Each structure stands twice: as structure tokens, then as C-alpha cells.
Amino acid sequence: MASYRIRQYREQDYDAVRTLFARGILEHAPAGYRHILRSARAQLGLLVLFVTVRVAVGYWVLGLGAVALVLAAAWPLVRSLSTSYVCDALSTDLCDITSSYMRAPNSCFWVAEAGETVVGMVAVAPPQDPAERGVALELKRMSVSKDYRGRGISKALCGEVLRFARARGYGAVVLSTSMVQVAAQRLYEGQGFRKVGSSSPSLLASLLCFQVFRYRCDLPGSTA
């Protein structure tokens, strides 16, 4: 098992971090597509479509063709949820990581390094929700290279965020993760996070039955 170390972000990590983040998000698109197709709403809709076309034209083959066309059209829509999320991140906080995390108050960015290669990353910053500001910090941009998973890197990165928040007197750490990131959910729950809510980030996500889960970890000794 290759060794690794966790350190704070440096400017020379910029390209590696952005690439790692984009790959980590986009690899979940197929899982999102499969999850949506397994939903009762999607299966019912496909069945109704098949029956409608079958009754209207009298050929079951055309009904199957209509279903196939919808399935083919659904894939780019599902993938667009991931690509739009990546584009938004790369054009906002990950556009200038130093300003967003290394110079901003109560914020930080770490990378996990194996040899000379950045294989993991995580950030922490004040949450956008005004109700949580001053009480909690938010874990963001967690990602570990596919080739280095299962080695404790994600757990170590999560630990950095929890220690950072605790050292600054915060009572909790919050985060968001998608419904298809099952391994991430298990990791966070193993670190003391509990699910506190869910939402669809857009109208398209709502139509596709795609949800984002909100998690919270109350830190020991907190009165928050």
C-alpha cells in the first residue's frame, strides 16, 4: 500500500486539484443514470409511454423504439447535472483556490499527496446558509483519486476538517453529497455525521428524481 501525506494547498497544485475534482464528479454520472432509471416514477413513465405508442400505432416494436429514444435522450440530461456542477465550481471557488480558501477567514484547503502526485483533496469554509454561519463550518470539495481509494485517505481528509473546526470553537461541521455517492455517505456516517435533510438542486434534478443529502456532525463538547 502506497504511503501518502496530507498538507495544505500550494499554488503548484492548481491544475491537479481541478482535474481531480472534475474527474471525481463526472464519474458518478453513470450511477446517477442507473439510479434514476430504477426509480418507480421513471419506470412508470416508460411503461405508460410504451403502452400509449403501442395502442396508438398498433406495433409493439414502435413502442419499444419510443422507450429507447427516451432512454437515449435521458443520458445527456443526467450527465448535464454533473457537468453543470463541475463548471460552476471551476468558475467560482476553484477558480482562485488561494483566495477562496487559504486567505479567507475560517477556511482552508488540503491535498493528499502520494509521492509527487496529488491524489486527494478537501476544503472547509463557512456555510452559505446564514442560519449555520458562526455555528458550523462546511466540508467541501472532497475527492480522492479512484486508484487510491480504500487506503484511509478520505477518512484522514475528513479528520483534518473536523480538527480545524474544533480548534476554532465551532460546534458542528456540515456537508452536502449526492444520493448516488453511497461510499461517501458511509464514510461520513462512520465519522459521526447524520443526515439532516435532502433537496433537489434544480428543476431538472427534481424532474429526474435526483437529490442532494445534507449531513451534520456535532462536535464533542458543543453547546450549539
Side-chain angles (χ1 to χ4, degrees):
M1 183 179 294
S3 61
Y4 65 89
R5 68 185 183 110
I6 295 176
R7 59 169 175 79
Q8 291 191 5
Y9 169 84
R10 301 170 187 161
E11 287 291 350
Q12 57 264 37
D13 303 322
Y14 183 76
D15 289 335
V17 161
R18 285 164 58 89
T19 299
L20 177 64
F21 172 77
R23 288 177 177 171
I25 295 298
L26 293 177
E27 75 178 46
H28 292 295
Y33 182 66
R34 292 191 298 270
H35 184 93
I36 289 167
L37 293 185
R38 287 196 295 264
S39 71
R41 183 188 299 180
Q43 292 179 0
L44 178 60
L46 292 173
L47 177 60
V48 170
L49 174 64
F50 172 79
V51 172
T52 301
V53 174
R54 171 69 175 82
V55 171
V57 300
Y59 295 100
W60 65 268
V61 173
L62 292 180
L64 289 178
V67 170
L69 286 175
V70 169
L71 292 177
W75 166 243
L77 288 176
V78 174
R79 184 175 170 81
S80 72
L81 295 175
S82 297
T83 55
S84 62
Y85 180 76
V86 168
C87 289
D88 179 69
L90 296 183
S91 64
T92 53
D93 59 298
L94 295 184
C95 180
D96 188 344
I97 299 169
T98 298
S99 295
S100 298
Y101 295 105
M102 305 309 293
R103 293 176 184 161
N106 296 315
S107 303
C108 196
F109 199 106
W110 296 269
V111 299
E113 188 178 53
E116 299 297 321
T117 304
V118 172
V119 299
M121 55 183 274
V122 74
V124 65
Q128 292 185 346
D129 186 350
E132 294 176 334
R133 283 183 172 263
V135 176
L137 290 180
E138 183 166 7
L139 183 153
K140 304 177 65 176
R141 309 310 186 203
M142 169 81 85
S143 186
V144 173
S145 174
K146 193 173 184 179
D147 295 334
Y148 285 84
R149 291 172 191 165
R151 308 186 186 193
I153 296 177
S154 296
K155 182 177 179 180
L157 289 168
C158 185
E160 289 290 339
V161 172
L162 295 176
R163 283 190 290 272
F164 182 92
R166 190 179 295 112
R168 282 156 181 75
Y170 283 87
V173 173
V174 296
L175 62 88
S176 297
T177 190
S178 76
M179 58 193 287
V180 299
Q181 293 174 272
V182 178
Q185 294 168 35
R186 285 198 290 261
L187 165 73
Y188 297 136
E189 290 166 2
Q191 296 302 298
F193 285 84
R194 56 187 174 86
K195 190 187 300 183
V196 294
S198 63
S199 63
S200 292
S202 66
L203 176 59
L204 175 59
S206 180
L207 292 173
L208 293 174
C209 307
F210 186 89
Q211 290 189 316
V212 170
F213 297 148
R214 191 70 170 171
Y215 278 85
R216 177 185 176 100
C217 177
D218 292 310
L219 301 176
S222 166
T223 59

